[in-house]
Amino acid sequence: MPVIEKSIEVNVPAQVAYDQWTQFEDFPLFMEGIIAVNQLDDTHVHWTAEIVGQRKEWDAEITEQIPGKRIAWHSVSGARNAGVVTFHHLDDSSSRIMLQMDYDPEGLLENAADAIGVLTHRVAGDLERFKGFIESRGNATGAWRGQVNQSTYQAPPPGHLNQPR
């Protein structure tokens, strides 16, 4: 299963970057191909995207969320993916965002796109657009500071991705 690892430095405090990242429904504003993201409850999110010309939908479960530090997820239906994003304090006005994502390309088109690095480039572009979005605002559009503990996480049924590494 392919893994993407990318990071970016942003000129906002880590807490501001984290707060914006918790606003999942704003993701279409800076993520290429994301049509809509709907927060279903504190730990479930429904995604609609266009990937290599095909409409894809999936539900993701947030398996761990540590305010200001980390968000981990995995898909529970549809397009298979899992990952973790972490937020690192550099100084009072800058931070580093690190993203690791596992995904499972489906079919000939997605596998061909994966072979030439289409999704890797898209993720790098999404981080650049996030940087522009949050730096131009200077603050987040909202914040969710609840916590999801990995200890309360229940493993997905067989056939789904395991938790990210």
Side-chain angles (χ1 to χ4, degrees):
M1 183 174 295
V3 176
I4 298 171
E5 293 180 341
K6 293 289 178 189
S7 67
I8 194 165
E9 289 185 18
V10 293
N11 294 317
V12 297
Q15 187 65 54
V16 172
Y18 170 87
D19 287 348
Q20 184 60 55
W21 203 276
T22 66
Q23 302 307 292
F24 303 116
E25 293 184 352
D26 287 344
F27 280 14
L29 298 173
F30 52 82
M31 287 189 169
E32 181 182 350
I34 301 301
I35 296 166
V37 181
N38 298 306
Q39 180 103 33
L40 304 174
D41 60 33
D42 286 350
T43 60
H44 295 91
V45 183
H46 181 80
W47 293 74
T48 305
E50 186 174 303
I51 301 171
V52 290
Q54 298 178 338
R55 186 180 179 99
K56 296 275 189 171
E57 294 194 34
W58 67 93
D59 290 314
E61 179 178 36
I62 297 165
T63 57
E64 183 179 24
Q65 189 161 348
I66 301 169
K69 304 276 185 211
R70 173 185 177 93
I71 302 169
W73 77 92
H74 72 102
S75 63
V76 294
S77 70
R80 292 171 36 121
N81 64 85
V84 61
V85 60
T86 57
F87 304 85
H88 305 271
H89 171 85
L90 297 177
D91 60 39
D92 289 344
S93 61
S94 64
S95 56
R96 177 175 291 120
I97 301 168
M98 300 180 77
L99 173 71
Q100 177 187 337
M101 187 173 90
D102 301 345
Y103 63 99
D104 191 12
E106 297 176 336
L108 183 62
L109 280 177
E110 286 184 30
N111 278 288
D114 179 57
I116 60 173
V118 170
L119 189 55
T120 299
H121 292 311
R122 182 179 276 188
V123 168
D126 291 345
L127 287 174
E128 286 290 340
R129 284 183 292 279
F130 178 80
K131 174 182 173 70
F133 180 82
I134 193 63
E135 288 180 358
S136 69
R137 293 186 52 80
N139 56 32
T141 60
W144 188 79
R145 297 213 176 96
Q147 184 159 330
V148 176
N149 294 318
Q150 204 169 25
S151 63
T152 61
Y153 168 73
Q154 301 220 353
H160 288 280
L161 293 176
N162 293 328
Q163 281 184 258
R165 293 179 236 146

